[in-house]
């Protein structure tokens, strides 16, 4: 028996592109900036630190990293990370809680985290996985492209070219060829109860129409599509495909011309909506909506004749400017209603929405930088400051859904639902707008801040860029940071430039790319209790808590909403949380995100002692709770062992103090093939389930039983070293019926073949099918309909891909 105790400060496995060789600077007091937040290790490890003379904007900046942190979820091994919008999943969300509406904002914000895996994995959930990119309008491809200029990882981007083209063409169904524009209902442009909805149903006689609105040609959606097309063109250029580059450049230009022709209203000097049904003359609406300010951020309309009227409208107190604005509809519009007409949460007829403010701030920065208008640095700062002032609740930084434009109160903020709503950017605007970090497509960085003239200092420290760490400090007289006066830039801790200007261009060493195969968390189960492994159980669980929440991939430490297993009320001196794998695994650590809320009126504290058991008995013990971090991750390591389960026994400190685990993670090397087990896969279908079967051809003994209903086994993270490589996919299975079963095979969202599973009687056999795989990680899905599975006792054991 092995008694091993190691002091355990959690370090996220293989986080950084350059690993420990990349060192930054240490001017700012990082601990002081994250004091008071939960999950401090994540923050210290991942975020760029700032120091600015505006406390309001600075406090909101640090808070907003914690709202991102709460909304980052580990899906499962092979799929990795994603980002959600609501901390509690909502019913209309798609795969794993994805909602594509704000995915572009998520990518813009998370591109500044030091670990690139969060956003790499999230992007691949859209490009290759099951996330739905036509539920709402989105600018995901554009965000991917701009993010590649932050990571410097053009290989990752260009490997997704085919997937990006597929995502583009998924929108063909709402392209009006005669008009040359895309249309969609406002509700699916993320804006229910907005102007077109009221114009189409002015008397409120059709509740669905008034909520959803009619099909509408919108400046938002069409600008997203132009930006997405340009992203594909640049990606094609990087991938060396000139014909695709030319094709998508042209698509973008033609779409942009149609936007100017139809949506730009010269009489109103604004990009307007056009309702599509019963409108053959394409008559534009007359009310100005904030969506008309979105195109500028995508480089559309930056000439003076389009941009100056936009600036004028932004700063017009009868236009979009309000104390807690900008507003989603012009204040002078007859349909502008700052008050909600009924109890429904979400109005886009004037309320201030961070989602739209994010677009508007980026448009304002783009217009400022184009230099064709009279907008000033002070005005940009005013908008950013107003946004920070809006993001408050009871005197502390906070973000919910929407805010009243003239009242210091959130208009959509439901308890246990809207907290820390992740539907916007803020920190990307501080970094790229205010502090002027302008990512470039070559080995350089431009620094061009939009700060008020009077500022005597500002700093951003250890900002990840091309796998390096950048620090920019401005110190007018050199007294704050003692590094000389003016603007100083450090790359990987080395002073590379000092200038009296507030502008700099620096060259950056070639990009350091991330580890393609980081450790994966084999304890995460995105499906909840049911037919899929891993499974969680506990000797005692508090009635309001849930042991499954310890392996749902979601980590936050709040009391409302909460996300934890706890043993509050347990009669036992210790309780054990057990996670059972589908098959034996080799592991060498367990990571516990431990809750302590005794300091805020709760009854949960760190455990007095912890023991961890596996198939071979005791694996590790922590005998001194002062070594543990409260409300943070703690990694407990031990010698590698093969085990079916981990059982974590936690001892309470006192009779009336309990223990809580927000997440139990087991980080292990990823499976890189050639065999991918169905028992590890993502299962859908009411009766698709993992069963034990010792007669399998491998030693794993766990297979997936196909029930009578339709369903699928999805294998994420199937590795291929090359792009477009034809591989013979071998399916290990058993078919006890009398007839062959046909399963559809999908690779990266695309149905590409059928595989026929001939009867095998009681034994296991194989079938093969040729499929083309993309470079790096693929989603390979085996899908069946009701009729096909029947009662044949079909069991799927694995897919195998030659490496
Ligand atoms: C709405 O009601 C007004 C007044 O009753 C009426 O004149 C108008 O035709 C109605 N509009 C629609 C679209 O039903
Ligand atoms: C470019 O993309 C097109 C369309 O997908 C494809 O047919 C062509 O083979 C590609 N060309 C190169 C050089 O990869
Ligand atoms: C900018 O020009 C507009 C006219 O387009 C004018 O109304 C506004 O006052 C000017 N703003 C400033 C800051 O000079
Ligand atoms: C919060 O919502 C979740 C999911 O809807 C529910 O399980 C939980 O009980 C709620 N918590 C509170 C404190 O209302
Ligand atoms: C945990 O508590 C149980 C009783 O609930 C007891 O039998 C067991 O010995 C305790 N484990 C340890 C390691 O103290
Ligand atoms: C665990 O590692 C051992 C030694 O490398 C190996 O023989 C065994 O097959 C591994 N078990 C699993 C489940 O991968
Ligand atoms: C527990 O750890 C703390 C901090 O490292 C140390 O000061 C203390 O002496 C340890 N207690 C025991 C009983 O080992
Ligand atoms: C798979 O088979 C179905 C009929 O069973 C057919 O409609 C479909 O086109 C086939 N798919 C492929 C990719 O061959």
């Amino acid at each position: 028996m092995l008694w091993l105790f190691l002091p355990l400060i959690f370090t996220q496995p293989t986080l950084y592109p350059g690993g420990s060789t990349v060192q930054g600077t240490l001017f700012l007091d990082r601990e002081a900036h994250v004091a008071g937040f939960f999950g401090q290790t994540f923050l210290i490890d991942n975020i760029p630190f700032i120091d600015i003379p505006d406390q309001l904007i600075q406090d909101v900046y640090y808070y907003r990293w914690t709202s991102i942190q709460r909304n980052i979820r580990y899906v499962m091994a092979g799929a990795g990370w994603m980002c959600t919008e609501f901390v509690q999943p909502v019913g209309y969300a798609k795969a794993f809680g994805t909602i594509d509406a704000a995915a572009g904002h998520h990518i813009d914000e998370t591109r500044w985290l030091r670990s690139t895996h969060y956003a790499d994995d999230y992007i691949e959930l859209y490009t290759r996985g099951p996330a739905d990119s036509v539920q709402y309008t989105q600018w995901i491809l554009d965000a991917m492209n701009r993010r590649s200029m932050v990571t410097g990882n053009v290989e990752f981007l260009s490997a997704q070219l085919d997937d990006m083209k597929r995502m583009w063409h998924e929108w063909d169904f709402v392209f009006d060829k005669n008009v040359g524009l895309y249309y969609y209902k406002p509700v699916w442009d993320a804006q229910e109860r907005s102007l077109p909805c009221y114009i189409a149903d002015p008397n409120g006689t059709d509740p669905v129409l008034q909520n959803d609105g009619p099909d509408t040609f919108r400046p938002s959606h069409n600008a997203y599509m132009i930006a997405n097309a340009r992203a594909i063109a640049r990606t094609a250029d990087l991938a060396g495909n000139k014909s695709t580059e030319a094709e998508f450049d042209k698509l973008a230009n033609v779409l942009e011309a149609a936007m100017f022709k139809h949506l730009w209203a010269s009489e109103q000097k604004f990009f307007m909506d056009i309702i599509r049904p019963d409108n053959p003359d394409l008559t534009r609406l007359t009310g100005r909506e904030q969506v008309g300010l979105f195109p500028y951020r995508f480089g559309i309309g930056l000439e003076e004749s389009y941009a100056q009227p936009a600036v004028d409208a932004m700063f017009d107190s009868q236009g979009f400017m309000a104390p807690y604005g900008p507003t989603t509809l012009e204040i002078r519009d007859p349909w502008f209603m700052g008050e909600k007409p009924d109890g429904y949460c979400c109005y886009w007829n004037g309320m201030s929405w961070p989602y739209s403010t994010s677009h508007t701030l980026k448009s304002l920065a783009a217009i400022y930088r184009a230099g064709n208008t009279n907008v000033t640095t002070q005005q940009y700062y005013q908008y950013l400051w107003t946004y920070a002032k809006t993001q408050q609740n009871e005197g502390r930084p906070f973000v919910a859904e929407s805010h009243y434009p003239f009242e210091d109160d959130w208009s959509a903020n439901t308890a246990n639902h809207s907290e820390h709503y992740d539907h916007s950017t803020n920190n990307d605007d501080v970094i790229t707008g205010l502090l002027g970090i302008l990512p470039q497509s070559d080995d350089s960085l431009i620094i061009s801040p939009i700060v008020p003239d009077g500022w005597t200092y500002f700093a951003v420290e250890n900002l990840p860029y091309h796998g390096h760490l950048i620090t920019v400090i401005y110190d007018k007289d050199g007294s704050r940071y003692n590094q000389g006066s003016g603007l100083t830039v450090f790359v990987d801790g080395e002073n590379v430039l000092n200038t009296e200007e507030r502008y700099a261009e620096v060259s950056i060493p070639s990009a350091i790319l991330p580890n393609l195969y980081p450790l994966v968390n084999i304890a995460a189960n995105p499906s909840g209790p049911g037919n899929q492994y891993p499974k969680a159980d506990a000797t005692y669980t508090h009635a309001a808590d849930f042991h499954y929440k310890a392996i749902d991939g979601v980590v936050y430490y709040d009391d409302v909403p909460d996300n934890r297993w706890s043993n509050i009320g347990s009669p036992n001196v210790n309780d054990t949380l057990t996670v059972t794998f589908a098959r034996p695994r080799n592991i060498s650590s367990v990571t516990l995100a431990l809750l302590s809320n005794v300091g805020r009126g709760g009854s949960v504290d760190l455990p007095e002692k912890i023991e961890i058991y596996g198939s071979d008995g005791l694996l590790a013990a922590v005998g001194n709770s002062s070594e543990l971090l409260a409300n943070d991750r703690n990694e407990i390591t031990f010698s590698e062992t093969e085990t079916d389960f981990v059982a974590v026994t936690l001892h309470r400190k006192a009779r009336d103090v309990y223990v809580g685990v927000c997440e139990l993670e087991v980080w292990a090397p990823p499976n890189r093939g050639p065999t991918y087990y169905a028992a590890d896969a993502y299962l859908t279908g009411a009766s698709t389930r993992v069963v034990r079967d010792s007669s399998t051809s491998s030693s794993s003994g766990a297979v997936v039983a196909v029930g009578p209903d339709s369903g699928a086994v999805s294998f994420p993270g199937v590795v291929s070293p090359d792009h477009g490589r034809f591989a013979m996919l071998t399916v290990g299975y058993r078919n006890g019926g009398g007839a062959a079963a046909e399963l559809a095979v999908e690779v990266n969202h695309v149905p590409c073949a059928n595989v026929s599973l001939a009867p095998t009687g009681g034994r296991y056999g194989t079938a093969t099918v040729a499929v083309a795989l993309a470079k790096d990680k693929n989603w390979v899905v085996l899908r069946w309909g009701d009729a096909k599975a029947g009662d044949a006792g079909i069991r799927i054991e694995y897919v195998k891909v030659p490496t």
Side-chain angles (χ1 to χ4, degrees), residues 742 751-754 788:
E742 293 279 317
C752 62
N754 291 320
K788 291 184 181 154

Side-chain angles (χ1 to χ4, degrees), residues 173-290:
F173 78 113
V174 286
F175 183 68
D176 185 325
K177 288 197 184 68
N178 298 324
V179 180
L181 292 171
Y182 292 85
Y183 58 87
Y184 222 33
K185 293 192 194 327
V187 66
W188 302 117
D189 193 34
Q191 313 214 339
E192 68 268 44
R193 304 198 185 193
S194 56
L195 187 65
C197 314
Y198 293 101
I199 299 290
D201 183 33
N203 298 332
T205 50
D206 180 343
V208 174
L209 182 60
Q210 198 170 75
N211 186 75
D212 296 4
D215 282 333
T216 306
F217 300 107
R218 313 249 294 169
S220 40
H221 184 192
N222 284 284
Y224 303 160
M225 293 304 287
I226 293 166
N228 284 339
R230 293 202 165 123
I232 294 173
R234 174 170 178 264
T235 307
D237 178 29
L238 293 170
N241 192 323
K242 291 290 164 201
S243 64
T244 299
E245 182 188 3
E247 179 193 352
F248 278 85
D249 263 336
K250 185 168 173 217
L251 281 168
N253 293 342
V254 170
L255 186 54
E256 188 174 21
M259 239 189 101
F260 280 107
K261 179 175 174 199
H262 297 297
L263 300 184
W264 176 259
S266 48
E267 69 288 356
Q268 301 185 76
K269 296 187 175 154
F270 216 74
F271 287 109
M272 307 299 294
D273 273 7
I274 298 175
I275 290 178
R276 184 168 184 259
D278 308 320
N279 186 10
D281 298 335
L282 301 175
T283 303
R284 292 181 282 262
L285 296 188
T286 51
R288 298 194 231 190
E289 297 167 87
Q290 197 180 0

Side-chain angles (χ1 to χ4, degrees), residues 710-732:
S710 60
V713 184
S714 301
F715 300 84
V718 173
V719 173
S720 169
D722 307 310
H723 193 73
R725 188 172 73 122
F726 266 94
M728 287 311 284
L729 184 78
T730 302
V731 180

Side-chain angles (χ1 to χ4, degrees), residues 88 416 549 559-560:
Q88 308 271 18
N416 197 26
K549 286 191 172 182
D559 292 316
V560 180

Side-chain angles (χ1 to χ4, degrees), residues 308 312 374 376 379:
Q308 186 66 51
D312 295 346
N374 66 359
T376 63
Q379 284 180 303

